[in-house]
Amino acid sequence: EIVLTQSPGTLSLSPGERATLSCRASQSVSSSYLAWYQQKPGQAPRLLIYGASSRATGIPDSFSGSGSGTDFTLTISRLEPEDFAVYYCQQYGSSPLTFGRGTKVEIK
Amino acid sequence: QLQLQESGSGLVKPSQTLSLTCTVSGGSISSGGYSWNWIRQPPGKGLEWIGYIYHSGGTNYNPSLKSRVTMSVDRSKNQFSLKLSSVTAADTAFFFCVRSLRGYSQVFDYWGQGILVTVSS
């Protein structure tokens, strides 16, 4: 199965700053079948991005995804207070689908 | 607005079978183009996909759990269910029922709130 490695484990930033989160796959993810989710404490995850770069319904354009092959990036252009959370990447190009271990974006 | 709600026992003894049901409201489980999934998350840890079922009853399970998992669907009740047999403490987790994005069976856009299942004697 494909192993997804997310880095950094924790990202300490201030509101208004730019966040860059990395997701690296152990094998190429076919057709850029990669998604990103946001999870806040006590809540279910929320879909942000699928197909590596397509925003889900209702997701602000401050969130953007990019990448292909084995290297993918989630960028939050300007952090709002509600953006501090844990972010997971997920690949669905190979069976079984797998998730990364997450990157926590915390307030500096 | 689609809503999913998990229900079932929050405490299961080791070696027994965990049983959960997801009730769907605000939409029909019989609508085509979606998969209906179970995903779990041990407290403080990451996410693991368990498997999905279509309204037709077709299934796809994670190979790591396949020997212990059974999913079923009850279209008349707008529900789908999960059974996980021979549980151990390692199966303690929050269990989420999840609907996929239309046309993308493994991208997840509607989630239940989750239910904590503890495996303990």
Side-chain angles (χ1 to χ4, degrees), chain B residues 12-62:
Chain B
V12 183
K13 289 182 167 52
S15 80
Q16 294 191 343
T17 296
L18 175 161
S19 295
L20 296 174
T21 296
C22 182
T23 301
V24 179
S25 58
S28 173
I29 204 167
S30 297
S31 299
Y34 303 104
S35 68
W36 302 91
N37 295 260
W38 289 97
I39 292 171
R40 69 178 182 178
Q41 184 175 37
K45 297 189 178 181
L47 300 158
E48 181 180 32
W49 173 72
I50 299 170
Y52 67 64
I53 189 166
Y54 289 115
H55 69 91
S56 61
T59 56
N60 184 18
Y61 302 146
N62 190 324

Side-chain angles (χ1 to χ4, degrees), chain B residues 57-79:
Chain B
T59 56
N60 184 18
Y61 302 146
N62 190 324
S64 68
L65 296 168
K66 188 174 184 177
S67 63
R68 298 194 291 132
V69 170
T70 304
M71 293 185 185
S72 59
V73 63
D74 186 335
R75 290 184 295 278
S76 66
K77 293 182 179 179
N78 225 29
Q79 295 176 333

Side-chain angles (χ1 to χ4, degrees), chain A residues 1 33 35 37 39 42-47 49-51 88 90-101, chain B residues 37 39 41 44-49 52 60-64 96 101 104-109 111-114:
Chain A
E1 69 180 44
Y33 285 159
Y37 299 83
Q39 187 177 31
Q43 296 185 16
R46 176 173 72 142
L47 176 65
I49 301 284
Y50 62 99
Y88 294 96
Q90 175 227 331
Q91 68 80 24
Y92 52 102
S94 296
S95 184
L97 69 90
T98 50
F99 291 90
R101 292 192 169 190
Chain B
N37 295 260
I39 292 171
Q41 184 175 37
K45 297 189 178 181
L47 300 158
E48 181 180 32
W49 173 72
Y52 67 64
N60 184 18
Y61 302 146
N62 190 324
S64 68
F96 297 97
L101 192 63
Y104 294 83
S105 64
Q106 297 187 323
V107 177
F108 309 116
D109 70 341
W111 296 65
Q113 66 185 24

Side-chain angles (χ1 to χ4, degrees), chain A residues 56-98:
Chain A
T57 302
I59 301 303
D61 59 9
S62 57
F63 289 88
S64 62
S66 63
S68 64
T70 60
D71 289 299
F72 297 87
T73 300
L74 175 70
T75 301
I76 311 170
S77 60
R78 185 178 173 85
L79 282 164
E80 301 289 343
E82 61 269 23
D83 298 333
F84 292 90
V86 178
Y87 293 83
Y88 294 96
C89 59
Q90 175 227 331
Q91 68 80 24
Y92 52 102
S94 296
S95 184
L97 69 90
T98 50

